[in-house]
Amino acid sequence: MTAPDLNAGDLPHLTADRPCYRSATHRTTRELFGHDEQFFTVPGTFPGGLPDHIGFTDAVYAVLHAPNPATGEAEFIVRDVNGQRLTLGTPAPDQDTAIRSALSALAEDRRALAQRVEHNRVHILGLAAAPPVRIGHTEAGTCVVHASCSCPQVEGLAAHYEHVSLAADGWLDEAPTSPWRFCPTSPTQVITKMGTGRLTSTSRNDKGQAVVQVQHTDGRHEAIALAHVSDMT
């Protein structure tokens, strides 16, 4: 599904029950549309190649086999489940073609939306083309903060912020027991109310807050919560 050519590669897994349904009702396509067919889920990371700070929520669609209202001939059609139940892509005589058409249409829509987000971010909000702070996580559960770094992609991208203090408030300090660190290419100069110093280590304080250890130019050492850091350069 992440292949540039959507006519190649594996198709999504089909299920009889609606994935992640919100209630005990409308679990099947018959309950939703009056036809016994299947569901599939498109991950928020689809399609590949989007900026890694732009993500979508996982979306569920139904693929149905029903008569065409105009011709009366049976055809396969993909429809939205959680929205207005609109048709996605072009109906086709076989299931695979209908699903690939739906994925192609969804990829085009998501790429167009990503372009609008990037344009508005730069030309309307006056922000950098990409958020300067991105948070990912490793398989071992360590949160990794990428602050204005040179990493083109972020492993386990989970969130992005305009400032490290916001990243602490919005993500790191919400999980006070999880280990965290900066990526190797992030800045090491930390600006605090006490002045500018060199980042020496990261830790957590007794409240579970993400903390940076800073050595100032005059030799003083300071431990400060990341939520109170003024800037990093």
Side-chain angles (χ1 to χ4, degrees), residues 15-154:
T15 61
D17 285 341
R18 176 182 175 185
C20 300
Y21 55 90
R22 298 179 181 177
S23 67
T25 61
H26 294 169
R27 288 185 56 184
T28 67
T29 56
R30 174 160 292 278
E31 292 170 335
L32 278 166
F33 301 103
H35 299 281
D36 291 323
E37 290 300 334
Q38 295 170 299
F39 298 98
F40 64 91
T41 301
V42 180
T45 53
F46 175 84
L50 295 179
D52 61 6
H53 60 275
I54 293 181
F56 298 88
T57 57
D58 293 354
V60 179
Y61 295 92
V63 56
L64 310 169
H65 193 214
N68 184 304
T71 65
E73 296 183 1
E75 61 186 6
F76 286 92
I77 185 172
V78 174
R79 295 182 66 181
D80 176 28
V81 168
N82 293 324
Q84 298 178 344
R85 304 183 188 178
L86 301 177
T87 299
L88 183 66
T90 304
D94 65 277
Q95 187 181 74
D96 285 4
T97 302
I99 293 176
R100 292 189 191 283
S101 174
L103 293 177
S104 180
L106 181 62
E108 184 176 347
D109 288 346
R110 286 184 170 182
R111 290 190 184 105
L113 178 58
Q115 289 178 350
R116 291 197 297 273
V117 169
E118 294 289 81
H119 180 274
N120 292 344
R121 179 181 178 84
V122 175
H123 297 285
I124 296 179
L125 299 178
L127 302 174
V133 181
R134 297 168 292 170
I135 290 185
H137 57 268
T138 66
E139 291 185 359
T142 299
C143 289
V144 182
V145 179
H146 298 255
S148 301
C149 62
S150 60
C151 302
Q153 299 290 332
V154 172

